[in-house]
Amino acid sequence: MNETNPVNKDATASSLKMLQAMVGIGIFCALMIVLAFEGTMPRIEQNKAEALEKAIFKVIPGMETKKTFKLGPDNSFVPVDGKSKADQLVYAGYDQNGKLVGVAVEASGLGFADVLRVLYGYDPETQKIIGFYVLESKETPGLGDKIEKDPGFQSNFSGLDVSLTEDQSALKNQPVTVKHGAKENPWEIDGITGATISSRAVGNIMGTSTEFWVPLIHKNKETFMVSKTEQ
Amino acid sequence: MGNQTKDNKGFLASLKDSPSTDDFIKGLWRENPVFVQVLGMCPTLAVSNTAINAFAMGLATTFVLLMSNMLVSSLRNFIPKQVRIASYILIIASFVTVTDYVIQAISIDLHKSLGAFISLIVVNCVILGRAEAFASKNTVGRSFMDGLGMGLGFTFGLFCLGAVRELLGNGTIFGFPFFPSNFQEWIVMILPAGGFFTLAIWLLVFNALKEKRAKA
Amino acid sequence: MGLLNFRKSTFKHGVHPPEHKSETNGLPIRQFPFAPLIILPMAQHIGAPSQIVVREGQEVARGQLLAKAGGYVSVPLHAPVSGTIRKIANVPTISGKMSPGIFLETFPFSSQEVLEGTPVDLETATPEQILQGIQDAGIVGLGGAAFPTHVKLKIPEGKSCEALIINGIECEPYLTTDHRVMLEQADDIFMGIRYLLKATGAERAIIGIEANKQDAADHLEARIPEDIPVTVKVVPVKYPQGSEKMLITAVLGREVPSGGLPIEVNVVVVNVATTAEIGRLLPHGRGIQERVITITGPAVKKKGNYLIPIGTPLRYVLEQVGVDEQISEVYMGGPMMGVAVSNLDISIVKGASGIVAFTEEDVKRPQEIYPCIKCGACVDACPISLNPSKLGILAKFEAYDRMAEDFHLMDCFECGSCSYVCPSHIPLVQYFRLAKSIVRKRATAKQTAEHAK
Amino acid sequence: MLNRTLNISTSPHIVKGISTDSIMQNVVWALLPVALFAVYTFGMSALLVLVTSTAACVLTEHFMCKYSKKKSTISDWSAVITGLLLGLTLPPNFPLWMAFSGGVIAIALGKFIFGGLGYNVFNPALVGRAVLQAAFPVAITTWYPAFLPDRFFSVSVSTFTVPFMEPAIDAMTGATPLAAFKFDHVTTSTSDLALGLISGSTGETCALLILLGGLYLIARNMMNWRIPVAVLGSVYVLSGILYLINPQVYPSPLFMLFSGGLMLGAVFMATDMVASPITPLGVVVYGVIIGLLVVVIRIWGGLPEGVMYAILLANAISPHIDNLIRPRVYGTTKSLKRS
Amino acid sequence: MKSESLWYIFINASLINNFVLAYFLGICPFLGVSGKMETATKMGGAVTFVMIISSMCAYGIHSLLIAVNAPFLQLISYIVVIASTVQLVEMFIKKMSPALFRALGIFLPLITTNCAILGLALFQTNKGYGFVESFVYALGAGTGFTFALILMAGLREQLDFAEVPNVVKGTALTLLIAGILSLSFMGFAGLGS
Ligand SMILES: Cc1cc2nc3c(=O)[nH]c(=O)nc-3n(C[C@H](O)[C@H](O)[C@H](O)COP(=O)(O)O)c2cc1C
Ligand SMILES: Cc1cc2nc3c(=O)[nH]c(=O)nc-3n(C[C@H](O)[C@H](O)[C@H](O)COP(=O)(O)O)c2cc1C
Ligand SMILES: Cc1cc2nc3c(=O)[nH]c(=O)nc-3n(C[C@H](O)[C@H](O)[C@H](O)COP(=O)(O)O)c2cc1C
Ligand SMILES: Cc1cc2nc3c(=O)[nH]c(=O)nc-3n(C[C@H](O)[C@H](O)[C@H](O)CO)c2cc1C
Ligand code: SF4
Ligand code: SF4
Ligand code: SF4
Ligand code: SF4
Ligand code: FES
């Protein structure tokens, strides 16, 4: 930015001095960063874990402990310790007796403004969605963000029907959002007036995601049940 | 670039230099980075949708500004001219990284709502600008006062925006309801357009005041 | 209207002001009385003023040379009446400037016979001799510009003239001068064309006439002599078709290049009245003494087409025809291009094709000027396809150089169509005249500065 | 008698009869039938919205001029048009304080900051509506049913909302044809649309009256016919192509033409000459851009309606259209490019 | 679950979440060089160009940092690598095409520490985009930036000749127009969903 500055006395500084300065500053900065990183990391990890825990707890009411699974290549689930980002993960939640209360699944899709990321809990026992939480959304505050805040809308997800067909390969009815006040069937989501687009987007995300995951989880119900809990 | 004169003054002054209140005061008002210099606009607008975000962002920036100003000024005789910008960026980036981690350690939620804008403090022209225009030529004490003044001035500017936007756009201030419960929020204010409008209107107010004073 | 004219050739854009021609177009040309005092400014044409060759107190006969040409781009002036030179002094002109001039007192009971000069023989004369004859006759463009005709007719080295266009358009509202000339002076016109063809070497002549003068077109068409290649072309009515650029486009479909003259597309344009004058004067070697002028407008009582001696004071003219008490504006020329007269002491000049007088009532010009609302009416009107709206805004902010560089200011030929249509009543062409003069001034200033280096 | 001092004008000495204020007045006349029908359809509430927005615009214009020590420009009638058009694009049950705010914003933000009449680069009425839509998205998409039996004697419960307070949600709401199509895939019959037997913004419902007003202005040479033709034509053609491809998914072109704010927008708002290009070809390009954006936003966008956004975006593009599309100047070989 | 097509990434970065009008990134150049069409176009081109280069660098660095498990170096290495790459590219262009250099030249150094560039790198990392996605994202962001800049320049050039009241003239006017443009761009919301 300042090429135009007149060269002044220290312009004659030797390359050695420049190198010294850069290396010196570099080392100092590196030290500082590493220190800060090491110092804060445990706390940050804990914060993140808590946040995830909190979210999973929101979608699987009654959960005490959880265990992370990843979808293997042969459509079966294997327990993991939950580090790798690339894997498709689900979280099984258990009550204090170690009984499976639900499986939390992450899903995403396009909302009104940008990508919506949500987490929902599925109970293989009752074949219902038992909880819903918005992880990330840029929907309009006061309008589209009612999908996270509106209790009426949230209540759609305590017992949304996702039961399977006889042969257990597909959903009987995909969840779908309908106009506010027009909900008639247990698999329908009652929309929000003034935020039709966001609530429809949630419906779409839920529909697509459950269509994929619910038959899989249901099939592997046993895997989740027999698993010993984490921690 | 006017630097030359400043440089000389700074050099002379630095002999008998002591931190002065003016170094501090000027950033708050006369040379306010937001309203007068109109610098660092991106973070100003992006995180000013609520007062708390604005405040947090302001403090984070102030911290980085303060630290980098001090470090730069204490190393000012050690850094050769040719590599000064590179070193400043390095220094600023390090402090920003540190700040980023500290905020994450304090609250993940706050970090989430400030988003990538914490990292973007690196390119905030105010910081590099102060390092270049002030800290590199003045004592640690004066640079501290300058950094503090500019930082708080920046925070004040952000807060002015954030408070208006939150108040009108959400009916709250620092998250606490301010209006009766059936107040109709002006949602546009928390949308990006509202950021542009609010800053423009603050600038209008300043312009009008200036014009009035010029006439009087 | 637009649909009907679809196939007829004309130029792009233009406007249709109310014509008001019926009030005078049926009235034959009548001789106007001689004023007791004739005032003749020397600067009544474009170019150098004529140089006076008579003395105060001298008696002159009608048609006698009073002043000789002041250079190549200049013409002589002949006595419009027999009389005595009263005074040689400065006289006012329409531009407001003073010009050297002659006060000529008319002999009250003279027969006003015209002196004969040396005829220019059509058969034997060379083109140069014809041009000289035209200059000697004091002929300038009677279409309004008053540019010395012999200069225009001189074909530059390396160029050739293919077509001669005789301008019988008369697109200005109210004026019927050319209309009457075509109806009453057909023989003179054809004689003039003979001279012009010979002088320019043109292969053919085309008489362009607007459709509202169909009678004149028919009249001329029926009388075209066998021996000359003349055609009559009737074009739709539209202002400013009479301007030479537009007329050339309307008649031949050619466009005169920006900044160029008609000869670049091998054409020369001469007004019908000028042509008739050439045809009438040259065979007798006479000089021009009078011209046909339409005197009309709502404030005029005895409207008509009159043959008026050059130099007749305007005040005398108006007194003779009688005007309304409430007269408030008088134009020399038509209401679209004519110049408003501030002082009735000026006199009729060769370039005056009409006198139009309005009362306050008739003017009713709106006072309020609104900002440009970008309605585009001016864009649709401008025959040069400029953007008067943009030019007007730039002029308002005095960005004159930008007007010339980016928006073709210098191509504007000041027809006024844009001002005429503008609903916001922005004085567009007035702005442009000013802007053009400033741009020209700056250019010359720059040139002299460069020369000085 | 010839001693009167003569008035000196510069040529041309005559002008065509049309003047800017008379154009503006005539637009108001052309809008009146639309407004009257709106009052007939929606009753008292609609009347109040129209009066409020118009009053807000006129008052704002007056006081803004006063503040900047200029002569008041309300006599040019343009503020009346802005207010009337703003009112016509709002729902009939819109709270009056919001309509008033919209009028103030339209004039202050949409017109005054640019220098007043003739200088605004966006359509002021739509700037007002855009801010309202972003500020109060719920209120502006709460629709009132048409032809309520007691509409002339009672008003919607939200009309008289206390300023700055949230409106009560009306028990009776109607859905607009566009929303019905977008979300529930229900199409409304074209004749109902054309005659205005539907719910929607105050002034958008009767397409025929809007067209009539437009034809009147075109006949009086006060409106550029190319703009509505280009907008409506391009919408018709584009949606027609889509409809031919798949009539199950895409709405019919006639439905597209007659629904939502398209007719009002194309005839009265895209035609605001101040914020549109000036050359004949430029204006057609502008119209086609609007048409294209309307189709894209309605069919692939998140919102059911996009006329307002399409016009505002096209307004922003029009300086470029004027820059790029310039007629060839007489006697030059190519159209002049910017230096 | 992958839900973003390349097309959506492009539309999202350019129109729906335009960097300037929705994310407030690159406001300084937006305010600074939008006064004249000519500079605006060049600046837009230069920003797009730098965005694409930076985005590709950032992708590489990110992969590397993951591999060596040093996430804390992300910010520093982004800014240093982007700045030096742009410098290298600048020298390269200077050698290869002086004409292009003259067109972009003065803008490149200004852009290097511009927040839109760094923001792009950070966002693409946060969103976990792959190489091709990053490229399209950068292209979209650059196109959107250029589009906004050009629109603004056209409007401002026109308003140079308008009777803008004195108090409004300058930055305030530009910001108000930006606000209206931002509102107009909201029409693109939900496009492609
Ligand atoms: C500024 C603004 C923000 C909006 N934000 C959202 C949003 O976040 N979510 C949404 O579904 N619709 C949003 N909308 C769209 C409208 O509210 C849309 O008309 C509404 O979704 C239609 O729903 P309705 O038929 O229930 O009125 C927004 C509109 C505007 C103008
Ligand atoms: C706007 C405009 C309108 C004109 N209209 C006429 C006209 O109607 N008749 C005419 O003879 N000359 C008209 N002229 C002048 C012609 O361009 C041209 O100078 C004239 O026809 C040449 O003939 P002259 O030199 O014999 O007068 C007009 C010029 C301009 C600029
Ligand atoms: C000229 C005009 C332009 C409009 N532009 C828009 C627009 O851009 N977006 C919008 O949501 N509504 C707009 N409206 C209102 C719509 O017509 C209304 O929203 C439409 O009937 C669809 O309603 P919905 O958004 O509830 O589905 C406009 C109305 C008019 C008269
Ligand atoms: C055909 C026509 C359409 C108009 N449309 C609008 C409009 O949509 N919005 C508006 O605010 N003014 C409109 N006006 C009025 C006027 O042009 C407007 O107030 C200016 O934009 C203010 O500078 C219109 C005027 C005419 C003649
Ligand atoms: S403007 Fe006048 S002089 Fe020129 S052509 Fe028309 S009537 Fe004749
Ligand atoms: S006066 Fe000039 S700009 Fe106006 S219409 Fe005539 S040629 Fe065009
Ligand atoms: S006619 Fe007048 S108001 Fe219309 S565009 Fe031209 S200058 Fe502007
Ligand atoms: S870095 Fe450059 S563009 Fe950004 S604020 Fe500073 S001067 Fe403006
Ligand atoms: S460009 Fe973003 S802070 Fe300057």
Side-chain angles (χ1 to χ4, degrees), chain D residues 202-225:
Chain D
T202 314
E204 71 187 20
T205 55
C206 187
L208 289 184
L209 284 176
I210 296 170
L211 279 175
L212 211 65
L215 286 176
Y216 166 76
L217 289 175
I218 289 170
R220 297 216 45 189
N221 211 351
M222 293 175 168
M223 182 193 275
N224 194 336
W225 57 270

Side-chain angles (χ1 to χ4, degrees), chain C residues 378 381-384 386 388 391 411-419 429 432:
Chain C
C378 53
C382 179
I384 303 286
L386 302 181
L391 284 167
D411 280 303
C412 166
F413 67 112
E414 302 173 21
C415 67
S417 303
C418 48
S419 297
V429 65
F432 304 158

Side-chain angles (χ1 to χ4, degrees), chain D residues 45 93 142-145 148 155-159 167-173:
Chain D
S45 315
N93 51 332
T142 307
W143 306 102
Y144 197 55
L148 289 179
V155 297
S156 141
V157 296
S158 49
T159 300
I169 297 292
D170 225 301
M172 298 169 292
T173 56

Side-chain angles (χ1 to χ4, degrees), chain A residues 22 25-26 29 33, chain B residues 83 85-94 97 122-123, chain E residues 53-54 57-58 61 65 73-88 112-113 117-118 121:
Chain A
M22 288 308 288
I25 294 175
C29 292
I33 292 178
Chain B
V83 292
I85 299 286
S87 351
Y88 300 162
I89 290 182
L90 210 57
I91 292 172
I92 297 168
S94 311
T97 311
V122 177
V123 282
Chain E
I53 297 207
S54 318
C57 289
I61 302 167
L65 290 182
L73 286 182
Q74 177 173 316
L75 186 58
I76 287 205
S77 42
Y78 275 11
I79 188 139
V80 169
V81 172
I82 291 173
S84 27
T85 316
V86 174
Q87 208 105 82
L88 281 180
T112 17
T113 53
I117 310 288
L118 187 64

Side-chain angles (χ1 to χ4, degrees), chain B:
Chain B
M1 260 209 181
N3 275 353
Q4 214 48 34
T5 51
K6 250 192 189 166
D7 204 12
N8 292 336
K9 224 195 281 167
F11 181 74
L12 283 181
S14 66
L15 294 179
K16 49 169 181 97
D17 198 28
S18 63
S20 78
T21 39
D22 186 59
D23 290 334
F24 176 66
I25 299 290
K26 70 176 188 294
L28 288 187
W29 188 253
R30 189 160 28 88
E31 289 178 28
N32 186 292
V34 175
F35 296 127
V36 181
Q37 303 184 45
V38 199
L39 282 182
M41 282 300 102
C42 311
T44 310
L45 290 166
V47 299
S48 62
N49 52 356
T50 66
I52 189 78
N53 279 357
F55 208 66
M57 183 69 180
L59 290 185
T61 309
T62 308
F63 172 72
V64 175
L65 185 52
L66 212 53
M67 298 312 274
S68 72
N69 249 14
M70 278 162 59
L71 192 60
V72 164
S73 99
S74 55
L75 295 179
R76 70 188 186 282
N77 295 323
F78 172 67
I79 304 174
K81 283 278 171 221
Q82 293 90 332
V83 292
R84 68 186 193 292
I85 299 286
S87 351
Y88 300 162
I89 290 182
L90 210 57
I91 292 172
I92 297 168
S94 311
F95 282 119
V96 172
T97 311
V98 171
T99 316
D100 192 49
Y101 284 125
V102 171
I103 293 183
Q104 282 190 50
I106 296 173
S107 159
I108 288 278
D109 280 342
L110 183 60
H111 187 264
K112 215 168 117 186
S113 63
L114 294 180
F117 285 89
I118 293 285
S119 304
L120 287 173
I121 295 178
V122 177
V123 282
N124 189 326
C125 332
V126 178
I127 299 180
L128 192 62
R130 289 332 282 176
E132 167 74 7
F134 197 93
S136 65
K137 295 162 194 147
N138 289 295
T139 57
V140 179
R142 290 194 63 189
S143 303
F144 176 85
M145 293 310 266
D146 177 73
L148 196 63
M150 284 293 160
L152 292 183
F154 186 70
T155 311
F156 170 71
L158 276 182
F159 173 75
C160 285
L161 290 178
V164 170
R165 290 181 68 189
E166 185 182 342
L167 208 57
L168 286 177
N170 205 32
T172 58
I173 183 87
F174 284 114
F176 298 108
F178 184 83
F179 293 114
S181 65
N182 58 345
F183 173 74
Q184 168 70 54
E185 304 89 7
W186 294 63
I187 289 170
V188 65
M189 296 306 283
I190 16 182
L191 298 175
F196 287 115
F197 291 145
T198 316
L199 180 57
I201 286 166
W202 275 114
L203 291 179
L204 279 185
V205 170
F206 273 67
N207 279 354
L209 285 180
K210 235 187 283 172
E211 206 162 74
K212 211 169 221 174
R213 206 171 307 154
K215 254 184 222 153

Side-chain angles (χ1 to χ4, degrees), chain C residues 140-147 149 152 167-172 178 239-245 247 269-272 274-275 337 413-415:
Chain C
V140 297
L142 303 183
F147 186 74
T149 305
K152 182 162 78 177
N167 188 344
I169 297 294
E170 195 155 57
C171 57
E172 274 274 6
D178 292 349
Y239 177 87
Q241 192 129 244
S243 125
E244 40 185 36
K245 285 183 176 181
L247 179 57
V269 180
V270 182
N271 168 265
V272 269
T274 317
T275 311
M337 293 275 289
F413 67 112
E414 302 173 21
C415 67

Side-chain angles (χ1 to χ4, degrees), chain B residues 40-43 123-125, chain E residues 24-29 114-116:
Chain B
M41 282 300 102
C42 311
V123 282
N124 189 326
C125 332
Chain E
F24 298 112
L25 290 175
I27 300 288
C28 309
N114 165 274
C115 54

